[in-house]
Amino acid sequence: MPIQPDLEWHQHLAEGRFMLCADAATGVPFYPPRAIVPGKGSEDVVWIPASGRGTVYSSTTVYKRLPETNYNVALVDLAEGPRMMSRIEGIDPADVVIGMAVTARIEWPEGGDPFVVFVPAEGAE
Amino acid sequence: MTDFPRGRTAIVGAGTFGTGRAPGYSASDLAGIATARALAEAGLTLADVDGLFFCHGTDTLGGLSFAQYLGIQPKVTDNNRTGGSAFQTMVENAAYLLDAGAIDCALIAYGSNQASAAGKLVNTVQPNPYESPYRPMTPLTSYALAAQRYLHQYGARREQLGEVALAARAWAQLNPEAYARDPLSMDDYLGARPINDPFGKYDCCLVTDGGAAIVMTRTDRARDLKARPVRVLGAAAETSHREIMCMPDLTTTAARESGRRAYARAGISAADVDVVMVYDAFTINTVLFLEDLGFCPKGEGARFVEGGAIAPGGRLAVNTNGGGLSCTHPGMYGLFALIEAVRQLRGECGDRQVADAQVALAHGNGGVLSSQATVILAR
């Protein structure tokens, strides 16, 4: 049976695992999850663990009017290759810079689905 | 190239209606009135239309709804939903169908009452589960991410994006149909409320109502009609992604490919284009498209637009109606870019007329820099 991408993505996160889809034949990962290998069409898709290491490819501050607060939206290039939209936390949105090394963690809001955010990498310059 | 009927089809009528605020009119009313005006200009009637190309902002079966509204039974009903580039792609597809004899008269129309009905840009797409947890302002945040990457990669500055906004406004001041005609200074631009870095208010398109329509037929038939025909020399499209996370390089769009093929089909190059219309949903669009469509090298666009270079009296006439930034932006702007190109080639543009405009390019953009479509027109 082909994988069930959205369901399995959320199941892995709920169990504390940040996993990526990959082409079973080559091991090349892709994101977002899909039931077939993009550009190829193969149904042989496997889940592989993500290292959680990434680099900020682009980043913006979304400005909100009070009482809401400004927040970050970023594109993170994962060490494994794929790029994902995410948020850099644990740092003022204004201080997030392109090229910054970041590390993934799983956030699970009450009543919602778990998702992946990033924080500045330990020991990063 | 023999894969496109170069010059064998023509735009023979163009109409707009309600391109600022048009309370009391539905989207189909606005498109319908624009249609009546486009057909009248051509000296044709609804009975002549056998190919309908329509995009409704919120009704996914809008093409059917609009056929019913017009009271016609078209042989071809195209309900393309590739975003704001849909209309350039409709021109391409209508050209093939007309040239093949499958249809004799194509109507391409659009209408939106988003400003009066909702007061904001109406989002017509499904939220993506891999984006929505991060609360991007769709589509604005995606364009802001492209702009941030561009500024970083090429050492460009906000003031250079501001040049795009100022040029659009200066053109709009020459266009009685433009919605935003107040003077705009660089101080105004830089001091505006920030929205998503690097964008402030004036980097973002207007939110307006508006209807637009064009009529196409084969050029041999067009010569017998009322209006001066504008020939379709070339058209081409390409889609590179849907969500911004899947765009391979945020500083290079698929306009490079749509443009390359459209030029080849037209048998011209960027140097032959007298007037350029590009879909400026945000200031960064104009910079990226001028590069990708060959008007300057990659990474040079921000410098290219400096010093009023694309404003009235500059070195290249770009978005002479004021564009989506200052003329009109009723959700999907692509058809308005085509209509301004037609009006320039017919010499109808009054104070903003580009002298002796012979060749025009009208480029559409859909999604978040996702779908690109280029049309080249000549008088």
mmCIF file of all heavy atoms in Angstrom, chain A residues 14-57:
data_model
loop_
_atom_site.group_PDB
_atom_site.id
_atom_site.type_symbol
_atom_site.label_atom_id
_atom_site.label_comp_id
_atom_site.label_asym_id
_atom_site.label_seq_id
_atom_site.Cartn_x
_atom_site.Cartn_y
_atom_site.Cartn_z
ATOM 1 N N ALA A 14 3.571 13.253 16.452
ATOM 2 C CA ALA A 14 2.875 13.036 17.725
ATOM 3 C C ALA A 14 3.668 12.085 18.624
ATOM 4 O O ALA A 14 3.579 12.147 19.844
ATOM 5 C CB ALA A 14 1.469 12.492 17.457
ATOM 6 N N GLU A 15 4.441 11.205 17.995
ATOM 7 C CA GLU A 15 5.275 10.269 18.756
ATOM 8 C C GLU A 15 6.698 10.790 18.926
ATOM 9 O O GLU A 15 7.613 10.050 19.285
ATOM 10 C CB GLU A 15 5.244 8.891 18.074
ATOM 11 C CG GLU A 15 3.866 8.237 18.212
ATOM 12 C CD GLU A 15 3.644 7.077 17.232
ATOM 13 O OE1 GLU A 15 4.639 6.565 16.672
ATOM 14 O OE2 GLU A 15 2.475 6.711 17.025
ATOM 15 N N GLY A 16 6.890 12.083 18.592
ATOM 16 C CA GLY A 16 8.173 12.736 18.872
ATOM 17 C C GLY A 16 9.228 12.556 17.798
ATOM 18 O O GLY A 16 10.408 12.791 18.047
ATOM 19 N N ARG A 17 8.814 12.131 16.595
ATOM 20 C CA ARG A 17 9.784 11.911 15.521
ATOM 21 C C ARG A 17 9.550 12.885 14.369
ATOM 22 O O ARG A 17 8.440 12.963 13.832
ATOM 23 C CB ARG A 17 9.676 10.474 14.986
ATOM 24 C CG ARG A 17 10.110 9.410 15.954
ATOM 25 C CD ARG A 17 10.090 8.034 15.293
ATOM 26 N NE ARG A 17 8.764 7.690 14.775
ATOM 27 C CZ ARG A 17 7.819 7.084 15.495
ATOM 28 N NH1 ARG A 17 8.051 6.750 16.747
ATOM 29 N NH2 ARG A 17 6.649 6.803 14.949
ATOM 30 N N PHE A 18 10.612 13.594 13.983
ATOM 31 C CA PHE A 18 10.595 14.447 12.783
ATOM 32 C C PHE A 18 11.144 13.591 11.646
ATOM 33 O O PHE A 18 12.327 13.284 11.610
ATOM 34 C CB PHE A 18 11.445 15.696 13.047
ATOM 35 C CG PHE A 18 11.662 16.600 11.863
ATOM 36 C CD1 PHE A 18 10.852 16.564 10.723
ATOM 37 C CD2 PHE A 18 12.697 17.545 11.885
ATOM 38 C CE1 PHE A 18 11.059 17.414 9.654
ATOM 39 C CE2 PHE A 18 12.930 18.405 10.816
ATOM 40 C CZ PHE A 18 12.112 18.333 9.696
ATOM 41 N N MET A 19 10.241 13.165 10.753
ATOM 42 C CA MET A 19 10.613 12.233 9.686
ATOM 43 C C MET A 19 10.368 12.886 8.331
ATOM 44 O O MET A 19 9.468 13.715 8.173
ATOM 45 C CB MET A 19 9.763 10.957 9.776
ATOM 46 C CG MET A 19 9.838 10.226 11.111
ATOM 47 S SD MET A 19 11.377 9.314 11.358
ATOM 48 C CE MET A 19 11.011 7.796 10.434
ATOM 49 N N LEU A 20 11.165 12.476 7.349
ATOM 50 C CA LEU A 20 11.000 12.962 5.974
ATOM 51 C C LEU A 20 10.657 11.797 5.057
ATOM 52 O O LEU A 20 11.141 10.681 5.266
ATOM 53 C CB LEU A 20 12.302 13.598 5.474
ATOM 54 C CG LEU A 20 12.747 14.893 6.149
ATOM 55 C CD1 LEU A 20 14.171 15.225 5.719
ATOM 56 C CD2 LEU A 20 11.789 16.034 5.817
ATOM 57 N N CYS A 21 9.863 12.059 4.046
ATOM 58 C CA CYS A 21 9.658 11.068 2.996
ATOM 59 C C CYS A 21 10.911 10.988 2.136
ATOM 60 O O CYS A 21 11.596 11.995 1.915
ATOM 61 C CB CYS A 21 8.498 11.483 2.093
ATOM 62 S SG CYS A 21 6.890 11.135 2.778
ATOM 63 N N ALA A 22 11.194 9.784 1.652
ATOM 64 C CA ALA A 22 12.335 9.614 0.750
ATOM 65 C C ALA A 22 12.000 8.564 -0.306
ATOM 66 O O ALA A 22 11.172 7.684 -0.089
ATOM 67 C CB ALA A 22 13.573 9.184 1.530
ATOM 68 N N ASP A 23 12.658 8.681 -1.446
ATOM 69 C CA ASP A 23 12.589 7.689 -2.512
ATOM 70 C C ASP A 23 13.288 6.424 -2.000
ATOM 71 O O ASP A 23 14.486 6.454 -1.698
ATOM 72 C CB ASP A 23 13.301 8.263 -3.749
ATOM 73 C CG ASP A 23 13.331 7.299 -4.926
ATOM 74 O OD1 ASP A 23 13.020 6.096 -4.741
ATOM 75 O OD2 ASP A 23 13.671 7.748 -6.031
ATOM 76 N N ALA A 24 12.549 5.318 -1.873
ATOM 77 C CA ALA A 24 13.118 4.097 -1.305
ATOM 78 C C ALA A 24 14.301 3.601 -2.134
ATOM 79 O O ALA A 24 15.251 3.016 -1.593
ATOM 80 C CB ALA A 24 12.047 3.014 -1.216
ATOM 81 N N ALA A 25 14.276 3.835 -3.426
ATOM 82 C CA ALA A 25 15.329 3.322 -4.313
ATOM 83 C C ALA A 25 16.633 4.086 -4.156
ATOM 84 O O ALA A 25 17.709 3.507 -4.239
ATOM 85 C CB ALA A 25 14.853 3.398 -5.769
ATOM 86 N N THR A 26 16.557 5.378 -3.915
ATOM 87 C CA THR A 26 17.773 6.201 -3.898
ATOM 88 C C THR A 26 18.062 6.793 -2.525
ATOM 89 O O THR A 26 19.168 7.288 -2.284
ATOM 90 C CB THR A 26 17.630 7.384 -4.875
ATOM 91 O OG1 THR A 26 16.534 8.203 -4.422
ATOM 92 C CG2 THR A 26 17.363 6.909 -6.296
ATOM 93 N N GLY A 27 17.063 6.802 -1.639
ATOM 94 C CA GLY A 27 17.235 7.422 -0.334
ATOM 95 C C GLY A 27 17.137 8.936 -0.357
ATOM 96 O O GLY A 27 17.296 9.589 0.666
ATOM 97 N N VAL A 28 16.856 9.515 -1.538
ATOM 98 C CA VAL A 28 16.784 10.977 -1.641
ATOM 99 C C VAL A 28 15.477 11.461 -1.004
ATOM 100 O O VAL A 28 14.391 11.054 -1.415
ATOM 101 C CB VAL A 28 16.861 11.435 -3.115
ATOM 102 C CG1 VAL A 28 16.649 12.948 -3.221
ATOM 103 C CG2 VAL A 28 18.203 11.028 -3.720
ATOM 104 N N PRO A 29 15.580 12.329 0.037
ATOM 105 C CA PRO A 29 14.370 12.790 0.722
ATOM 106 C C PRO A 29 13.667 13.928 -0.016
ATOM 107 O O PRO A 29 14.281 14.624 -0.832
ATOM 108 C CB PRO A 29 14.906 13.291 2.069
ATOM 109 C CG PRO A 29 16.314 13.684 1.804
ATOM 110 C CD PRO A 29 16.800 12.871 0.640
ATOM 111 N N PHE A 30 12.381 14.086 0.279
ATOM 112 C CA PHE A 30 11.632 15.208 -0.299
ATOM 113 C C PHE A 30 10.630 15.714 0.726
ATOM 114 O O PHE A 30 10.313 15.048 1.710
ATOM 115 C CB PHE A 30 10.958 14.818 -1.617
ATOM 116 C CG PHE A 30 10.005 13.656 -1.528
ATOM 117 C CD1 PHE A 30 8.670 13.856 -1.209
ATOM 118 C CD2 PHE A 30 10.440 12.353 -1.782
ATOM 119 C CE1 PHE A 30 7.782 12.793 -1.139
ATOM 120 C CE2 PHE A 30 9.552 11.277 -1.714
ATOM 121 C CZ PHE A 30 8.219 11.493 -1.393
ATOM 122 N N TYR A 31 10.148 16.945 0.504
ATOM 123 C CA TYR A 31 9.206 17.590 1.398
ATOM 124 C C TYR A 31 8.418 18.601 0.583
ATOM 125 O O TYR A 31 8.999 19.225 -0.304
ATOM 126 C CB TYR A 31 9.959 18.303 2.541
ATOM 127 C CG TYR A 31 9.055 18.979 3.549
ATOM 128 C CD1 TYR A 31 8.555 18.284 4.649
ATOM 129 C CD2 TYR A 31 8.694 20.311 3.391
ATOM 130 C CE1 TYR A 31 7.723 18.894 5.563
ATOM 131 C CE2 TYR A 31 7.855 20.925 4.302
ATOM 132 C CZ TYR A 31 7.373 20.222 5.385
ATOM 133 O OH TYR A 31 6.541 20.831 6.288
ATOM 134 N N PRO A 32 7.130 18.809 0.849
ATOM 135 C CA PRO A 32 6.301 18.110 1.817
ATOM 136 C C PRO A 32 6.028 16.662 1.413
ATOM 137 O O PRO A 32 6.248 16.291 0.274
ATOM 138 C CB PRO A 32 5.010 18.941 1.823
ATOM 139 C CG PRO A 32 4.981 19.655 0.529
ATOM 140 C CD PRO A 32 6.403 19.873 0.136
ATOM 141 N N PRO A 33 5.542 15.849 2.385
ATOM 142 C CA PRO A 33 5.298 14.434 2.120
ATOM 143 C C PRO A 33 4.304 14.216 0.973
ATOM 144 O O PRO A 33 3.375 14.995 0.806
ATOM 145 C CB PRO A 33 4.689 13.943 3.443
ATOM 146 C CG PRO A 33 5.149 14.915 4.467
ATOM 147 C CD PRO A 33 5.235 16.234 3.766
ATOM 148 N N ARG A 34 4.559 13.196 0.186
ATOM 149 C CA ARG A 34 3.679 12.812 -0.914
ATOM 150 C C ARG A 34 3.645 11.289 -1.018
ATOM 151 O O ARG A 34 4.588 10.624 -0.583
ATOM 152 C CB ARG A 34 4.208 13.381 -2.242
ATOM 153 C CG ARG A 34 3.721 14.784 -2.541
ATOM 154 C CD ARG A 34 4.662 15.507 -3.484
ATOM 155 N NE ARG A 34 5.681 16.224 -2.715
ATOM 156 C CZ ARG A 34 6.474 17.173 -3.222
ATOM 157 N NH1 ARG A 34 6.403 17.505 -4.488
ATOM 158 N NH2 ARG A 34 7.346 17.777 -2.455
ATOM 159 N N ALA A 35 2.584 10.756 -1.642
ATOM 160 C CA ALA A 35 2.426 9.306 -1.764
ATOM 161 C C ALA A 35 3.279 8.727 -2.884
ATOM 162 O O ALA A 35 3.473 7.515 -2.951
ATOM 163 C CB ALA A 35 0.957 8.952 -1.988
ATOM 164 N N ILE A 36 3.748 9.567 -3.787
ATOM 165 C CA ILE A 36 4.651 9.108 -4.851
ATOM 166 C C ILE A 36 5.879 10.014 -4.863
ATOM 167 O O ILE A 36 5.842 11.128 -4.341
ATOM 168 C CB ILE A 36 3.970 9.102 -6.248
ATOM 169 C CG1 ILE A 36 3.535 10.510 -6.660
ATOM 170 C CG2 ILE A 36 2.779 8.139 -6.278
ATOM 171 C CD1 ILE A 36 3.115 10.632 -8.108
ATOM 172 N N VAL A 37 6.953 9.515 -5.464
ATOM 173 C CA VAL A 37 8.196 10.295 -5.515
ATOM 174 C C VAL A 37 8.044 11.403 -6.560
ATOM 175 O O VAL A 37 7.798 11.102 -7.733
ATOM 176 C CB VAL A 37 9.402 9.390 -5.879
ATOM 177 C CG1 VAL A 37 10.672 10.224 -5.978
ATOM 178 C CG2 VAL A 37 9.555 8.266 -4.869
ATOM 179 N N PRO A 38 8.171 12.672 -6.144
ATOM 180 C CA PRO A 38 7.983 13.766 -7.115
ATOM 181 C C PRO A 38 9.033 13.710 -8.228
ATOM 182 O O PRO A 38 10.200 13.423 -7.974
ATOM 183 C CB PRO A 38 8.141 15.037 -6.264
ATOM 184 C CG PRO A 38 8.832 14.611 -5.012
ATOM 185 C CD PRO A 38 8.470 13.177 -4.789
ATOM 186 N N GLY A 39 8.584 13.946 -9.435
ATOM 187 C CA GLY A 39 9.476 13.939 -10.593
ATOM 188 C C GLY A 39 9.781 12.548 -11.109
ATOM 189 O O GLY A 39 10.450 12.386 -12.130
ATOM 190 N N LYS A 40 9.301 11.511 -10.401
ATOM 191 C CA LYS A 40 9.631 10.130 -10.765
ATOM 192 C C LYS A 40 8.369 9.284 -10.865
ATOM 193 O O LYS A 40 8.197 8.530 -11.825
ATOM 194 C CB LYS A 40 10.591 9.566 -9.720
ATOM 195 C CG LYS A 40 11.126 8.195 -10.028
ATOM 196 C CD LYS A 40 12.196 7.809 -9.006
ATOM 197 C CE LYS A 40 12.652 6.381 -9.199
ATOM 198 N NZ LYS A 40 13.604 5.986 -8.150
ATOM 199 N N GLY A 41 7.505 9.407 -9.847
ATOM 200 C CA GLY A 41 6.241 8.688 -9.918
ATOM 201 C C GLY A 41 6.212 7.367 -9.185
ATOM 202 O O GLY A 41 5.174 6.715 -9.112
ATOM 203 N N SER A 42 7.330 6.940 -8.609
ATOM 204 C CA SER A 42 7.381 5.671 -7.899
ATOM 205 C C SER A 42 6.543 5.714 -6.624
ATOM 206 O O SER A 42 6.513 6.726 -5.915
ATOM 207 C CB SER A 42 8.844 5.358 -7.550
ATOM 208 O OG SER A 42 8.895 4.416 -6.499
ATOM 209 N N GLU A 43 5.861 4.595 -6.304
ATOM 210 C CA GLU A 43 5.101 4.496 -5.060
ATOM 211 C C GLU A 43 5.970 4.013 -3.901
ATOM 212 O O GLU A 43 5.494 3.889 -2.774
ATOM 213 C CB GLU A 43 3.903 3.555 -5.239
ATOM 214 C CG GLU A 43 2.839 4.100 -6.174
ATOM 215 C CD GLU A 43 1.648 3.178 -6.311
ATOM 216 O OE1 GLU A 43 1.419 2.344 -5.405
ATOM 217 O OE2 GLU A 43 0.950 3.282 -7.335
ATOM 218 N N ASP A 44 7.223 3.712 -4.182
ATOM 219 C CA ASP A 44 8.130 3.204 -3.134
ATOM 220 C C ASP A 44 8.688 4.377 -2.332
ATOM 221 O O ASP A 44 9.800 4.854 -2.581
ATOM 222 C CB ASP A 44 9.270 2.390 -3.756
ATOM 223 C CG ASP A 44 8.790 1.023 -4.204
ATOM 224 O OD1 ASP A 44 7.787 0.544 -3.630
ATOM 225 O OD2 ASP A 44 9.392 0.460 -5.130
ATOM 226 N N VAL A 45 7.869 4.837 -1.389
ATOM 227 C CA VAL A 45 8.239 5.963 -0.533
ATOM 228 C C VAL A 45 8.441 5.430 0.879
ATOM 229 O O VAL A 45 7.619 4.670 1.386
ATOM 230 C CB VAL A 45 7.134 7.036 -0.550
ATOM 231 C CG1 VAL A 45 7.446 8.143 0.446
ATOM 232 C CG2 VAL A 45 6.954 7.604 -1.954
ATOM 233 N N VAL A 46 9.552 5.825 1.506
ATOM 234 C CA VAL A 46 9.815 5.419 2.891
ATOM 235 C C VAL A 46 9.997 6.673 3.747
ATOM 236 O O VAL A 46 10.263 7.757 3.241
ATOM 237 C CB VAL A 46 11.086 4.539 2.993
ATOM 238 C CG1 VAL A 46 10.853 3.201 2.320
ATOM 239 C CG2 VAL A 46 12.302 5.252 2.405
ATOM 240 N N TRP A 47 9.840 6.475 5.055
ATOM 241 C CA TRP A 47 10.107 7.571 5.993
ATOM 242 C C TRP A 47 11.503 7.409 6.556
ATOM 243 O O TRP A 47 11.887 6.323 6.982
ATOM 244 C CB TRP A 47 9.092 7.545 7.135
ATOM 245 C CG TRP A 47 7.686 7.902 6.721
ATOM 246 C CD1 TRP A 47 6.697 7.029 6.386
ATOM 247 C CD2 TRP A 47 7.138 9.215 6.590
ATOM 248 N NE1 TRP A 47 5.548 7.716 6.050
ATOM 249 C CE2 TRP A 47 5.790 9.070 6.172
ATOM 250 C CE3 TRP A 47 7.642 10.507 6.777
ATOM 251 C CZ2 TRP A 47 4.945 10.159 5.942
ATOM 252 C CZ3 TRP A 47 6.794 11.586 6.552
ATOM 253 C CH2 TRP A 47 5.469 11.408 6.140
ATOM 254 N N ILE A 48 12.274 8.474 6.572
ATOM 255 C CA ILE A 48 13.617 8.438 7.169
ATOM 256 C C ILE A 48 13.696 9.551 8.220
ATOM 257 O O ILE A 48 13.050 10.589 8.080
ATOM 258 C CB ILE A 48 14.736 8.620 6.111
ATOM 259 C CG1 ILE A 48 14.614 9.986 5.405
ATOM 260 C CG2 ILE A 48 14.703 7.489 5.083
ATOM 261 C CD1 ILE A 48 15.822 10.367 4.582
ATOM 262 N N PRO A 49 14.488 9.328 9.288
ATOM 263 C CA PRO A 49 14.574 10.378 10.311
ATOM 264 C C PRO A 49 15.337 11.597 9.800
ATOM 265 O O PRO A 49 16.345 11.464 9.119
ATOM 266 C CB PRO A 49 15.337 9.694 11.461
ATOM 267 C CG PRO A 49 15.952 8.474 10.880
ATOM 268 C CD PRO A 49 15.243 8.115 9.617
ATOM 269 N N ALA A 50 14.801 12.783 10.117
ATOM 270 C CA ALA A 50 15.517 14.024 9.801
ATOM 271 C C ALA A 50 16.516 14.300 10.910
ATOM 272 O O ALA A 50 16.251 14.022 12.082
ATOM 273 C CB ALA A 50 14.533 15.178 9.677
ATOM 274 N N SER A 51 17.671 14.846 10.550
ATOM 275 C CA SER A 51 18.686 15.169 11.559
ATOM 276 C C SER A 51 18.230 16.340 12.422
ATOM 277 O O SER A 51 18.714 16.513 13.539
ATOM 278 C CB SER A 51 20.004 15.535 10.872
ATOM 279 O OG SER A 51 19.855 16.760 10.160
ATOM 280 N N GLY A 52 17.326 17.147 11.883
ATOM 281 C CA GLY A 52 16.886 18.343 12.616
ATOM 282 C C GLY A 52 17.799 19.532 12.410
ATOM 283 O O GLY A 52 17.527 20.625 12.907
ATOM 284 N N ARG A 53 18.893 19.345 11.671
ATOM 285 C CA ARG A 53 19.791 20.473 11.394
ATOM 286 C C ARG A 53 19.349 21.202 10.134
ATOM 287 O O ARG A 53 18.936 20.568 9.150
ATOM 288 C CB ARG A 53 21.232 19.968 11.220
ATOM 289 C CG ARG A 53 21.879 19.529 12.540
ATOM 290 C CD ARG A 53 23.310 19.061 12.343
ATOM 291 N NE ARG A 53 23.369 17.767 11.656
ATOM 292 C CZ ARG A 53 23.859 17.584 10.431
ATOM 293 N NH1 ARG A 53 24.351 18.602 9.755
ATOM 294 N NH2 ARG A 53 23.861 16.380 9.899
ATOM 295 N N GLY A 54 19.437 22.518 10.185
ATOM 296 C CA GLY A 54 19.024 23.296 9.030
ATOM 297 C C GLY A 54 19.681 24.662 8.997
ATOM 298 O O GLY A 54 20.380 25.056 9.938
ATOM 299 N N THR A 55 19.468 25.354 7.874
ATOM 300 C CA THR A 55 20.018 26.696 7.665
ATOM 301 C C THR A 55 18.889 27.586 7.151
ATOM 302 O O THR A 55 18.113 27.165 6.293
ATOM 303 C CB THR A 55 21.143 26.652 6.598
ATOM 304 O OG1 THR A 55 22.077 25.642 6.965
ATOM 305 C CG2 THR A 55 21.846 27.987 6.485
ATOM 306 N N VAL A 56 18.835 28.819 7.671
ATOM 307 C CA VAL A 56 17.781 29.744 7.227
ATOM 308 C C VAL A 56 18.073 30.199 5.797
ATOM 309 O O VAL A 56 19.123 30.788 5.528
ATOM 310 C CB VAL A 56 17.680 30.957 8.173
ATOM 311 C CG1 VAL A 56 16.660 31.959 7.646
ATOM 312 C CG2 VAL A 56 17.311 30.501 9.578
ATOM 313 N N TYR A 57 17.134 29.896 4.869
ATOM 314 C CA TYR A 57 17.273 30.301 3.464
ATOM 315 C C TYR A 57 16.670 31.678 3.237
ATOM 316 O O TYR A 57 17.201 32.502 2.499
ATOM 317 C CB TYR A 57 16.607 29.261 2.559
ATOM 318 C CG TYR A 57 16.567 29.653 1.100
ATOM 319 C CD1 TYR A 57 17.700 29.511 0.295
ATOM 320 C CD2 TYR A 57 15.408 30.167 0.520
ATOM 321 C CE1 TYR A 57 17.670 29.870 -1.042
ATOM 322 C CE2 TYR A 57 15.381 30.528 -0.818
ATOM 323 C CZ TYR A 57 16.511 30.386 -1.595
ATOM 324 O OH TYR A 57 16.481 30.753 -2.931
#
